[in-house]
Amino acid sequence: MSVEILDGATIVNFMEDEEAFNAQICHRFAHLDSDHDGRLSYREMLKELQCLRVLETHFGVDVETDPDELVRVYDSLFVQFDHDLNGTVDLEEFKSETKQMMLAMANGMGFLPVQMVLEEDSFLKKAAEWESAKLAA
């Protein structure tokens, strides 16, 4: 984990760089696709959903969440990714829904810089690294 400063523009600009965004999407999809069949099962996708840290917090401290409630949340999120409801998520579905989620985060953050703790392989971390590289160039 690392602490980064980013805003909504960081996320939007990263997604607008189609080459960088698509490369990250393909990398993450391949990482999750443990059986290499070109589709993500619920089991494979669960790793990604758990990284979203859908946990209640109280003043920044995680509190125990009802396991049944978490299962319902993860089930619902999986269906959101599985656009054709065939029980798996293909690369295009993964890309489309990830983009929608990142746009929602960007809109929620606005354009004032926010300091965040980010997982090393998260899309937000990759967006922050992308921005840093652009500024350094």
Side-chain angles (χ1 to χ4, degrees), residues 102-136:
M102 289 186 72
L103 281 172
M105 282 187 263
N107 288 335
M109 290 175 71
F111 294 96
L112 293 176
V114 176
Q115 187 174 11
M116 298 178 73
V117 177
L118 302 176
E119 301 281 339
E120 286 305 315
D121 202 28
S122 72
F123 285 106
L124 292 179
K125 173 71 173 168
K126 298 302 178 187
E129 290 172 348
W130 175 87
E131 182 177 63
S132 293
K134 288 287 185 187
L135 292 173

Side-chain angles (χ1 to χ4, degrees), residues 86-98:
N86 69 349
T88 61
V89 175
D90 64 32
L91 179 59
E92 284 307 309
E93 290 170 321
F94 184 74
K95 177 182 172 183
S96 173
E97 199 57 39
T98 300

Side-chain angles (χ1 to χ4, degrees), residues 14-73:
F14 175 62
M15 289 187 314
E16 287 177 349
D17 183 338
E18 287 192 32
E19 183 179 341
F21 183 70
N22 287 340
Q24 182 58 33
I25 288 288
C26 290
H27 171 76
R28 190 70 182 161
F29 187 89
H31 173 75
L32 294 170
D33 186 15
S34 59
D35 63 5
H36 310 291
D37 68 353
R39 298 174 309 218
L40 299 178
S41 65
Y42 179 82
R43 182 185 58 76
E44 291 169 320
M45 190 70 189
L46 187 58
K47 291 182 274 186
E48 187 73 0
L49 299 176
Q50 289 170 333
C51 288
L52 296 174
R53 294 185 44 86
V54 183
L55 300 172
E56 293 181 32
T57 61
H58 183 65
F59 297 106
V61 177
D62 291 342
V63 295
E64 195 167 328
T65 305
D66 176 20
D68 292 334
E69 182 180 353
L70 272 180
V71 168
R72 287 189 299 275
V73 169

